[in-house]
Amino acid sequence: PSLGRVLRCYAMWQPQVGYCQGMNFIVATLLLIMAEEDAFWLLASLVEDVLPGLYHPSLIAVHTDTCTLHDLIGVKRPGVGASLSRLG
């Protein structure tokens, strides 16, 4: 019940973000060590300030992180990077 309440409240509070898969793991962990309201506000801070764009519907931060990882693999392991590029 606490997990669902925090997630529903956040989705109502920030409808442009709503609920994104993966938030449940964050909130569940927070609820092990703090009250519901504190977990809500810490989730809000994480999503909006610490990890902006990661949970945005466009997933812009996920796309950026994926491109960065692809570039890093290409530098550190060129053969693997070439294989990933061929796969698309």
Side-chain angles (χ1 to χ4, degrees):
S2 294
L3 176 62
R5 280 192 295 269
V6 172
L7 293 171
R8 279 190 302 277
C9 286
Y10 186 79
M12 291 171 58
W13 188 65
Q14 291 290 9
Q16 71 276 14
V17 175
Y19 169 77
C20 292
Q21 193 171 9
M23 286 181 175
N24 58 330
F25 295 109
I26 294 171
V27 174
T29 302
L30 296 176
L31 288 170
L32 291 173
I33 57 173
M34 61 185 65
E36 282 182 41
E37 185 175 356
D38 295 331
F40 170 85
W41 288 114
L42 187 50
L43 173 67
S45 179
L46 287 169
V47 170
E48 297 160 25
D49 303 322
V50 178
L51 304 168
L54 189 63
Y55 290 103
H56 188 272
S58 71
L59 299 174
I60 188 67
V62 174
H63 179 71
T64 302
D65 289 348
T66 302
C67 290
T68 302
L69 178 60
H70 183 270
D71 292 346
L72 180 63
I73 290 171
V75 169
K76 295 292 187 177
R77 299 284 188 228
V80 175
S83 294
L84 289 174
S85 292
R86 281 192 301 277
L87 292 173

